[in-house]
Amino acid sequence: EVLEDVGITDAAQMESLRHSFVLDSCMVPYWTPSDVAQWLQSKLSSVKNLPSVLDIVQQNGIDGSQLLVALNSDSNRLSQLGVDESVVSKIRGKVSACARELSHMDEVEVMYWLHSIAMPHNTEIARHFYQQGVTGAQILAGKHDLAAFVESKLGGSASLPVPSLLTETVTNAVHAHGGFVANYLIQDPSIVDMPTSMAAAAGKKMFMTERESAEFEQRKKSQDCRRRRA
């Protein structure tokens, strides 16, 4: 519709622009099998048997969402289809630059992700989850009944209803996208400073990245050691 609004009506041109946009934006769940094949070709050029890998992807119609599911630690679908495990490992490593596994997301990244969802009360909901220290691993632990999990995290706040889009988005990430969340969704800049005062009040420090957190903890340990020796 956007392309039509600017006067682009040629189907081939529309597909070319769509293809370029979803690849350049790393919108993995929206990749078609052709998008996946082109992305793999650009990322795995050094793999000797790459043509056979691309054939497997296209013959089995593996699109972006299916690729994420296939890379899930609980699934060996790519290996079952004939892709060497070492190649699967390389693909997983390349995907990690586009999407983060929920199991590795801390409470700050979960907060950014929830805030990026275009739903009512997204700021308050993101803050509420952050205050409760909800991590991606906890979300995965509740995957058998995600609706109940989400409701349990908001149940203590009468002013925060559970938007259906929240439950749908979390469910899609876990079940339809193999437990992966796009990196750009967990780097939401408009919420960066929001919980700083709350964190300070709780004696916690906010970090932009895991590296900053690790460096802070290392400095803190060094300072504690020096104080004990003194």
Side-chain angles (χ1 to χ4, degrees):
E1 292 180 1
V2 174
L3 294 176
E4 291 177 352
D5 288 343
V6 296
I8 298 174
T9 56
D10 180 74
Q13 186 179 8
M14 291 174 70
E15 173 56 24
S16 176
L17 289 170
R18 181 213 62 80
H19 171 79
S20 298
F21 178 75
V22 297
L23 276 177
D24 292 345
S25 303
C26 294
M27 300 173 70
V28 186
Y30 299 96
W31 289 354
T32 64
S34 295
D35 295 331
V36 171
Q38 181 169 326
W39 181 79
L40 290 175
Q41 194 164 19
S42 68
K43 299 297 182 181
L44 302 178
S45 56
S46 61
V47 174
K48 293 181 180 179
N49 62 337
L50 181 58
S52 65
V53 175
L54 299 179
D55 286 343
I56 289 172
V57 167
Q58 293 187 305
Q59 289 173 8
N60 289 276
I62 297 176
D63 59 20
S65 291
Q66 292 171 352
L67 176 66
L68 293 176
V69 172
L71 292 174
N72 187 291
S73 57
D74 296 331
S75 170
N76 293 313
R77 188 181 177 211
L78 289 178
S79 298
Q80 293 169 355
L81 292 174
V83 179
D84 186 87
E85 188 57 43
S86 63
V87 177
V88 175
S89 179
K90 289 181 180 179
I91 295 173
R92 184 178 287 108
K94 297 297 183 181
V95 164
S96 67
C98 303
R100 179 70 62 87
E101 287 188 68
L102 262 170
S103 58
H104 298 160
M105 286 171 58
D106 61 21
E107 65 272 24
V108 176
E109 292 168 322
V110 169
M111 175 185 68
Y112 289 0
W113 173 40
L114 298 185
H115 185 259
S116 73
I117 301 172
M119 61 184 174
H121 308 291
N122 62 340
T123 298
E124 293 88 347
I125 289 170
R127 179 188 293 132
H128 203 74
F129 271 64
Y130 171 75
Q131 287 176 317
Q132 295 187 66
V134 178
T135 65
Q138 291 174 349
I139 293 174
L140 285 176
K143 66 182 181 181
H144 298 298
D145 193 345
L146 286 167
F149 174 83
V150 170
E151 187 171 357
S152 72
K153 296 305 175 184
L154 295 178
S157 177
S159 62
L160 291 178
V162 182
S164 59
L165 185 58
L166 172 61
T167 304
E168 290 170 11
T169 302
V170 173
T171 300
N172 279 337
V174 173
H175 296 299
H177 303 156
F180 284 86
V181 174
N183 278 344
Y184 67 85
L185 294 177
I186 62 175
Q187 298 167 357
D188 186 345
S190 58
I191 199 175
V192 170
D193 297 324
M194 179 208 63
T196 303
S197 59
M198 296 187 311
K204 297 181 180 179
K205 182 175 177 62
M206 285 289 294
F207 301 98
M208 288 296 295
T209 65
E210 291 179 354
R211 180 178 177 180
E212 288 180 1
S213 177
E215 290 175 348
F216 173 79
E217 290 299 328
Q218 186 59 45
R219 288 196 300 272
K220 187 177 177 182
K221 287 180 182 178
S222 298
Q223 292 169 356
D224 290 342
C225 287
R226 285 196 294 270
R227 279 196 291 268
R228 283 196 294 269
R229 285 199 296 268

